[in-house]
Amino acid sequence: VQLVESGGGEVQAGGSLRLSCAASGSIFSLNAMAWFRQAPGKEREKVSCISTTDGTTYPADSVKGRFTISRDNAKNTVYLQMDKLTPEDTAIYYCAADIRPCPGIVAKAVDVWGQGTQVTVSA
């Protein structure tokens, strides 16, 4: 499986961005796709996850009500719509794919990572 992200950039606080993650390869084995982020000096954290089987979503508490994860199965693409961005959301955002279901995905054991895309939110 290969993952290619796009959509990062710089935005002012309160603004919005949408990230995309296109998957290719043996995607039939996947059970979940997720977005992680890593800010300078911090550990990589899971932002949101979506089941590839039933579409159930698992957003982190820090982004509930602001970020929305979705999928387009026909395009093998997962999106992360980010609204009401704050400077604390500044990080490199990584797409992840795994055979584990969403609750079991942890950063240290993800099956496949994308290359990452920078999101910068200015005050």
Side-chain angles (χ1 to χ4, degrees), residues 16-67:
S16 300
L17 283 173
R18 189 177 82 153
L19 306 181
S20 299
C21 174
S24 60
S26 302
I27 60 175
F28 62 89
S29 62
L30 300 176
N31 281 304
M33 292 188 70
W35 287 96
F36 286 74
R37 67 185 179 186
Q38 188 165 20
K42 295 187 176 181
E43 294 186 351
R44 193 169 296 190
E45 63 170 344
K46 189 163 60 177
V47 174
S48 194
C49 186
I50 186 166
S51 168
T52 58
T53 55
D54 63 11
T56 303
T57 62
Y58 300 81
D61 288 342
S62 59
V63 304
K64 281 181 181 177
R66 300 190 302 123
F67 291 11

Side-chain angles (χ1 to χ4, degrees), residues 2-6 19-23 32-37 44 48 69 76-79 92-98 110 112-117:
Q2 295 80 42
L3 304 175
V4 178
E5 300 130 334
S6 60
L19 306 181
S20 299
C21 174
M33 292 188 70
W35 287 96
F36 286 74
R37 67 185 179 186
R44 193 169 296 190
S48 194
I69 191 170
N76 295 328
T77 299
V78 172
Y79 305 96
I92 299 175
Y93 283 69
Y94 296 90
C95 182
D98 211 291
V110 164
V112 183
W113 289 107
Q115 81 281 5
T117 185

